[in-house]
Amino acid sequence: MNETMKLEKTHSGSAPLKNFEENLKYYFSSVFKKPLARPQWIYISLSHKCNLDCQMCGNKRTLRRHKLDFMLLKKVLAEIAQWQTDPCVVFTGGEPFLRRDIFSIIDGAVSLGLKTEVVTNGTLIDSAHMIEKIVASGLKNIAVSLDGAVAETHDAIRGVGGTYQKAVGALRALSQEKKKKGSGPDISVWMTIMKENLEELCDMMTLAQELEIDHLVYHPVIVAQADMQNTISTGSFWVRKDKVNLLKVQIERIAAAQKNDERIAFLHDPMLWLDYFQGTLTREIWKCNPFVFIDIGPDGNVRSCGSSFGNVRDMSLNDCLSSAQAQKARDKMLRCAKPCLQTCWARPEADSLSAIVENFTCQIESLPLSDLEKREILEKGLKMLKPYESMIERKPSHP
């Protein structure tokens, strides 16, 4: 066997092992209520300043005078890069492109080897020079929020006229520039599901195809963005009972289309949106994992959901994640009776130990390797369980 073939076989087995190891860490983090895994998603709110007035967003009205200093950002990003995991850093806000140093911030993250994304309303991506810089920036993904398939709906939700045309124009220009260069970030549309746009959920699929974007992601509306546990069904954008059947029809059409359109991305069964809006979603059906996601606010406070873990202006990010405040906040999340169904709070493949093992063995069986090679990989995976067995044996029992 030549060296190339050996390397290919080694690589084919390493991916399932790495995924197995990560899923074990997230699963047992929840079991033992301690951070055995680093966050997969790090959202960084650069500031809460925004040029729009989105009706479902409260960020613009909080922490308006705060923004993360560039040197502090560099320090935090360097710390994340030292984790030797594969996290994704997502710059958000407010509107990230209001920051004059946004491309320096992006370059700082990318140069550290971090997967980097930006979430934007798209209205400031309005010049050929800016389009070129974004496509050449090294971003993994740029997501443009679009809450209506027509201008009237989107502009009403976003609170400023003309925003639909600007966002669609940005998406079209980004797609064209990426095609011209032959490389660039994934280009995504994020659509928030609410009663105002239910009839346009499927229409967004047609628009996404026309714009030739890479991903179309749907999120159900939330009421309390800083604390999902306070989300209530009395919010003005909530899907009411008389609209649930319309939502069901839209979901069925989207799910059918997704089978032939890979750009439509689901982390979980979209039918759960019905349970979410009807208030019947439970932790048994959908689990958030408090170790998967963190948000660093413009004031430096680190949180996953609810109260702060600590502040990166006063302590390291690692110390924030292992603080007593973090443990208290995570304990509350694990008892949360209001699952938010936000994709960044979940890692469904790590919900069940039996499912983790089953998925791992299935992945190994599908590899183009000999039975002996497959057995060796499986044995390596089983050895990863040993430390957790010891932790279980040491865990005190409660009467």
Side-chain angles (χ1 to χ4, degrees), residues 36-48:
L36 304 174
R38 297 297 187 189
Q40 178 184 0
W41 297 98
I42 302 98
Y43 276 50
I44 301 180
S45 300
L46 299 176
S47 81
H48 281 178

Side-chain angles (χ1 to χ4, degrees), residues 38-39 42 44 75-77 79-81 83 294-296 300-303 309-323 330:
R38 297 297 187 189
I42 302 98
I44 301 180
K75 174 179 169 289
V76 171
L77 292 171
E79 192 173 352
I80 295 169
W83 289 350
I294 58 168
D295 174 81
I296 303 175
N301 276 318
V302 179
R303 53 171 48 88
F309 293 2
N311 194 298
V312 290
R313 288 176 172 151
D314 306 321
M315 56 202 295
S316 71
L317 179 57
N318 286 333
D319 286 343
C320 290
L321 295 177
S322 58
S323 69
R330 293 191 191 107

Side-chain angles (χ1 to χ4, degrees), residues 82-378:
Q82 291 173 0
W83 289 350
Q84 296 183 339
T85 57
D86 193 27
C88 186
V89 173
V90 184
F91 293 121
T92 181
E95 172 48 48
F97 285 104
L98 282 173
R99 289 279 300 244
R100 294 182 179 182
D101 56 355
I102 182 62
F103 287 104
S104 296
I105 294 170
I106 292 170
D107 182 65
V110 171
S111 65
L112 289 168
L114 294 169
K115 289 192 298 188
T116 308
E117 303 187 5
V118 171
V119 181
T120 172
N121 60 42
T123 60
L124 301 179
I125 304 174
D126 56 2
S127 70
H129 178 63
M130 194 167 188
I131 296 290
E132 290 171 2
K133 288 186 72 173
I134 291 171
V135 171
S137 66
L139 281 172
K140 179 180 180 288
N141 179 61
I142 181 163
V144 176
S145 298
L146 203 58
D147 292 325
V150 298
E152 182 180 5
T153 303
H154 178 79
D155 290 357
I157 292 170
R158 293 278 154 175
V160 177
T163 58
Y164 175 85
Q165 293 299 333
K166 290 179 179 179
V168 168
L171 286 162
R172 183 174 286 111
L174 286 166
S175 295
Q176 291 172 350
E177 179 68 13
K178 179 180 174 181
K179 185 182 294 185
K180 183 174 75 174
K181 295 294 185 184
S183 63
D186 286 350
I187 301 166
S188 305
V189 164
W190 285 10
M191 185 178 192
T192 302
I193 302 170
M194 57 188 83
K195 66 180 178 64
E196 279 74 10
N197 62 16
L198 282 187
E199 295 182 358
E200 298 171 36
L201 299 184
C202 290
D203 295 335
M204 189 61 74
M205 295 188 296
T206 303
L207 181 60
Q209 290 173 347
E210 177 194 329
L211 296 172
E212 299 183 280
I213 59 117
D214 298 293
H215 305 293
L216 172 56
V217 181
Y218 297 92
H219 297 286
V221 70
I222 50 179
V223 174
Q225 289 179 312
D227 187 352
M228 305 302 173
Q229 296 166 63
N230 287 329
T231 289
I232 53 175
S233 59
T234 56
S236 59
F237 289 84
W238 203 261
V239 176
R240 309 298 182 195
K241 289 182 179 180
D242 61 335
K243 295 287 186 178
V244 167
N245 285 336
L246 173 58
L247 175 59
K248 184 174 185 293
V249 170
Q250 294 281 307
I251 293 172
E252 289 172 346
R253 290 176 59 190
I254 294 169
Q258 193 262 349
K259 295 176 182 178
N260 300 309
D261 190 346
E262 294 182 352
R263 81 187 73 219
I264 303 170
F266 294 141
L267 180 69
H268 46 65
D269 182 354
M271 283 296 174
L272 293 182
W273 296 334
L274 295 174
D275 295 315
Y276 173 75
F277 284 113
Q278 293 180 104
T280 56
L281 188 66
T282 66
R283 290 195 62 84
E284 287 70 33
I285 300 173
W286 185 91
K287 298 178 182 179
C288 69
N289 186 314
F291 300 91
V292 170
F293 167 91
I294 58 168
D295 174 81
I296 303 175
D299 57 351
N301 276 318
V302 179
R303 53 171 48 88
S304 183
C305 181
S307 58
S308 171
F309 293 2
N311 194 298
V312 290
R313 288 176 172 151
D314 306 321
M315 56 202 295
S316 71
L317 179 57
N318 286 333
D319 286 343
C320 290
L321 295 177
S322 58
S323 69
Q325 301 99 296
Q327 182 167 342
K328 185 177 180 180
R330 293 191 191 107
D331 286 347
K332 185 178 178 183
M333 287 181 67
L334 288 169
R335 298 191 304 271
C336 179
K338 296 179 180 178
C340 62
L341 209 59
Q342 299 298 303
T343 55
C344 47
W345 265 267
R347 191 179 175 96
E349 64 269 34
D351 285 350
S352 159
L353 183 57
S354 60
I356 292 171
V357 174
E358 183 180 350
N359 290 338
F360 175 59
T361 54
C362 289
Q363 287 178 356
I364 300 305
E365 283 301 315
S366 66
L367 294 175
L369 303 174
S370 68
D371 289 343
L372 178 60
E373 289 166 328
K374 291 178 181 179
R375 181 176 177 179
E376 290 175 349
I377 296 172
L378 286 168

